[in-house]
Amino acid sequence: MTHVGVADPERRGVSMEVGIRFRVLVALGATAALALTASACTKSDGRGLADRKTQRITVETVFDTKTLDPARVYDQTGRAATKAVYDTLMTFSPDNLQTPIPDLASGFTQSDDMMEFTFTLDKGRVFSDGSPVTADDVVFSLKRLQGIGATASPLLEDMVINKLDELTVEIITGIPCPALPAILTTPATAIVSKSLVEANGGTMDAQDGAEDFLNKTSAGSGPYMLEWVDPLAEIILVKNPRYNGPQKPTYEKVIFQNADTATQVRHLGSGLAQVAAGLEAEQATQLPEGIELHSTPSATIVYLVLPADPSLSMIASNPRTWDAVKYALDYEELRAVGSHEAIQASGMIPFMISGHLPLGEAPTRDLEAAKEAARDAGLDKTTLTLSYPNNTDPEGLSLTRLAALIQVQLAEAGIAVELDPLHFVDAIDAYRGHRQVMGLWYWNTDYLDPTSYLAFGPGQTVAERIGWKLDADPSIVDLIVKATTTPDPTIRKDVLSSWARRMNDDGPFIPLVEPAMSIGYHPSVTGVHYNPVWLINVANLGYDESRDTTEDGTP
């Protein structure tokens, strides 16, 4: 057995009914909650500047919230909120997204074949109601995720989860699973209070009825608790007075507000918001004077997809059509739509993830090859319909602008394209429902391990949407098996690169752009770091009085 790490005390699906506001009374009681709110609005209360300035912080982003039930959460806004309310067994430090570290666990061991993992809980940790976190809570939480049939349920598929004693849990994966520590960092694997969730309809199967309760009430051990939820407008968190984990939250109250990116910029300039997450590319270079910028290529892949099932389109599913589209695209021009630190996607594994291809192996334009492939496929006899969501811009990159540019570029190769902009809900329903001929989409990882991106391989989750079956390319499937079962990280990295290379050569998915994640913030705010899974960990945000140039008092 290999021992991995000990927690360093100094380190760091039914959708919610919208339009209804829920008021959540925190453990301190209604009186204390009202007192806290009142104090946050007071400018002349005799306290120091730092005390007043850490009463609250407003983080604005474009909401995509569907649920705050951690086992069902899959959108970034929901993950950002649940990351603050719930602990997971493992996490990542802000400055290292390669190696998972213990969080609610104090450490873990793994067998040499990476099929048996044993996690020891950090002794003395408690939920927000004061009850202790035990192995029973861990087993219940992970088995609930397995059993309810949520989007993230396949992450723990076929794993056996056992309690060994009050503070020890064993997970047996059945096959080598080097990605498990990374999987256990995602908010979907958060640990909830078994007794509280069961008392409010929670089960470990599809009959689970706790989502409504968890949409408005905290059942975690994290540094914050839910106070107010309006899924269309605002999520308010308050500091958990009983939190005793390794993080050191600074702000008494964190307010997530739904705002388009133009509003975010205005509110940064006026002081109505202190952090703006997910700015558009042009806005990131035109921030108000004095506003800081954290910008980096994200782990999001923006890609084109064509069908593999002839029943969707005989011509579009022809591999020569795939070739024609790949060769026709001007990738540098597409990348420039993202600008400001966006990069061309070299393959279906992004640059920050192990196994990615170097930029020198990225697809390139070849108009003559595109025209030849288009003739071979009979593209002169049809018009391709390009569907895409027109009300969501991943990391500020405009899919509408990108789609229009793709239409022009393909026309230069003799490929006619009709644009089909749809609301996200309609577009994703058609995509997942096996009804989309050609799509412009994006993929943000479920967990920080390259195996998350293998979902695009034949027979895997995303590939099934366009009818690319398991037997379509056995050699690519073989690479998927090796990548998910090889313990040696060096060998595994080479296998993943081989998979990405084969996907570029022979797959129906065409990687386009890795947009930059741009976060604007006031200079007095510290600890601003982008995480591809939970966007931003608000418990890491701090306050530097020496860099506060705003008017004295609470913003």
Side-chain angles (χ1 to χ4, degrees):
M1 303 289 282
T2 305
H3 182 74
V4 182
V6 174
D8 178 354
E10 294 300 315
R11 72 162 169 81
R12 74 85 211 67
V14 178
S15 295
M16 184 186 305
E17 183 179 355
V18 298
I20 298 176
R21 290 177 179 259
F22 300 106
R23 190 66 179 179
V24 183
L25 298 180
V26 298
L28 291 175
T31 302
L34 290 170
L36 180 61
T37 303
S39 68
C41 300
T42 303
K43 286 190 176 233
S44 302
D45 56 6
R47 291 173 302 177
L49 176 63
D51 287 341
R52 293 196 296 276
K53 284 300 187 74
T54 57
Q55 284 299 298
R56 71 175 186 266
I57 186 169
T58 298
V59 179
E60 292 192 339
T61 188
V62 178
F63 274 25
D64 54 1
T65 313
K66 303 297 187 299
T67 181
L68 293 180
D69 179 343
R72 290 181 167 92
V73 72
Y74 60 91
D75 55 85
Q76 275 204 330
T77 308
R79 286 173 175 174
T82 54
K83 171 64 180 175
V85 174
Y86 296 90
D87 289 319
T88 47
L89 288 176
M90 305 293 292
T91 191
F92 284 98
S93 64
D95 55 355
N96 183 349
L97 301 183
Q98 301 293 322
T99 306
I101 58 176
D103 185 5
L104 195 53
S106 61
F108 72 96
T109 61
Q110 60 193 24
S111 61
D112 292 338
D113 61 7
M114 290 195 174
M115 291 194 291
E116 296 181 14
F117 298 78
T118 303
F119 295 87
T120 302
L121 295 180
D122 193 8
K123 190 174 182 180
R125 299 285 285 276
V126 297
F127 290 107
S128 58
D129 64 0
S131 62
V133 179
T134 69
D136 289 323
D137 300 299
V138 175
V139 172
F140 171 79
S141 301
L142 300 183
K143 285 189 174 182
R144 178 173 179 262
L145 172 60
Q146 283 182 316
I148 63 176
T151 301
S153 294
L155 294 178
L156 302 180
E157 190 173 17
D158 296 329
M159 295 186 188
V160 178
I161 303 164
N162 297 317
K163 169 186 173 181
L164 299 185
D165 59 43
E166 287 302 307
L167 292 175
T168 312
V169 173
E170 175 188 62
I171 300 178
I172 301 172
T173 60
I175 60 173
C177 188
L180 183 61
I183 290 172
L184 294 175
T185 70
T186 184
T189 66
I191 308 307
V192 301
S193 166
K194 177 177 184 288
S195 60
L196 185 58
V197 173
E198 281 188 327
N200 288 276
T203 65
M204 295 182 289
D205 56 30
Q207 304 307 309
D208 176 81
E211 182 179 13
D212 183 61
F213 171 75
L214 292 169
N215 276 338
K216 48 193 175 182
T217 310
S218 304
S221 60
Y224 286 94
M225 302 181 297
L226 291 173
E227 184 189 48
W228 174 277
V229 178
D230 178 347
L232 290 180
E234 189 174 62
I235 299 170
I236 300 178
L237 312 179
V238 292
K239 191 184 287 187
N240 175 5
R242 293 189 174 93
Y243 176 71
N244 60 352
Q247 300 185 79
K248 295 177 174 62
T250 296
Y251 295 92
E252 296 295 328
K253 179 175 292 191
V254 176
I255 303 170
F256 286 100
Q257 287 188 335
N258 186 15
D260 61 63
T261 55
T263 301
Q264 291 177 37
V265 173
R266 290 198 304 271
H267 285 178
L268 277 178
S270 66
L272 291 176
Q274 289 72 54
V275 180
L279 298 174
E280 292 183 7
E282 292 182 4
Q283 294 166 335
T285 61
Q286 301 172 7
L287 291 175
E289 184 177 356
I291 298 300
E292 302 282 342
L293 178 67
H294 173 75
S295 188
T296 180
S298 67
T300 298
I301 295 282
V302 178
Y303 63 92
L304 271 180
V305 56
L306 290 143
D309 184 353
S311 69
L312 285 169
S313 169
M314 285 292 294
I315 293 179
S317 62
N318 186 332
R320 288 298 281 159
T321 295
W322 306 350
D323 291 338
V325 174
K326 289 176 190 177
Y327 289 131
L329 297 172
D330 184 334
Y331 295 92
E332 174 54 28
E333 192 175 24
L334 296 176
R335 183 212 62 78
V337 173
S339 73
H340 200 79
E341 296 197 20
I343 62 175
Q344 180 186 348
S346 60
M348 293 307 294
I349 299 176
F351 193 72
M352 69 164 56
I353 304 293
S354 176
H356 67 85
L357 296 176
L359 288 176
E361 292 193 43
T364 57
R365 190 179 209 197
D366 187 336
L367 264 181
E368 291 308 311
K371 292 175 182 178
E372 180 182 348
R375 287 192 297 269
D376 292 346
L379 281 167
D380 57 331
K381 302 179 179 65
T382 191
T383 296
L384 299 177
T385 300
L386 175 58
S387 303
Y388 60 94
N390 67 346
N391 65 322
T392 181
D393 296 332
E395 272 70 276
L397 185 147
S398 171
L399 294 184
T400 297
R401 289 178 58 195
L402 204 64
L405 191 54
I406 289 168
Q407 182 186 43
V408 171
Q409 292 180 357
L410 295 186
E412 293 170 356
I415 304 171
V417 172
E418 178 183 1
L419 299 183
D420 179 33
L422 298 168
H423 188 281
F424 179 87
V425 172
D426 297 325
I428 196 68
D429 284 349
Y431 188 24
R432 290 174 175 169
H434 196 63
R435 302 190 307 273
Q436 204 165 86
V437 173
M438 182 182 185
L440 174 61
W441 282 101
Y442 58 97
W443 178 267
N444 185 47
T445 184
D446 291 322
Y447 55 94
L448 281 174
D449 188 88
T451 54
S452 174
Y453 295 87
L454 298 178
F456 292 95
Q460 310 307 303
T461 306
V462 182
E464 285 284 354
R465 297 173 183 173
I466 47 97
W468 205 28
K469 300 296 185 183
L470 196 62
D471 59 357
D473 196 323
S475 62
I476 297 181
V477 173
D478 183 55
L479 290 170
I480 292 173
V481 173
K482 289 180 180 177
T484 54
T485 60
T486 299
D488 186 286
T490 303
I491 297 175
R492 186 169 174 245
K493 180 179 179 180
D494 290 341
V495 172
L496 287 159
S497 295
S498 296
W499 175 85
R501 201 170 288 118
R502 286 297 317 281
M503 291 287 291
N504 277 358
D505 292 341
D506 300 316
F509 298 94
I510 305 172
L512 303 178
V513 183
E514 292 180 36
M517 167 54 69
S518 296
I519 303 174
Y521 61 98
H522 277 250
S524 62
V525 179
T526 63
V528 176
H529 295 279
Y530 161 67
N531 185 286
V533 176
W534 50 76
L535 182 60
I536 187 170
N537 184 356
V538 295
N540 286 337
L541 299 179
Y543 172 72
D544 184 350
E545 184 175 353
S546 69
R547 302 196 67 207
D548 192 341
T549 58
T550 60
E551 181 185 351
D552 183 55
T554 303

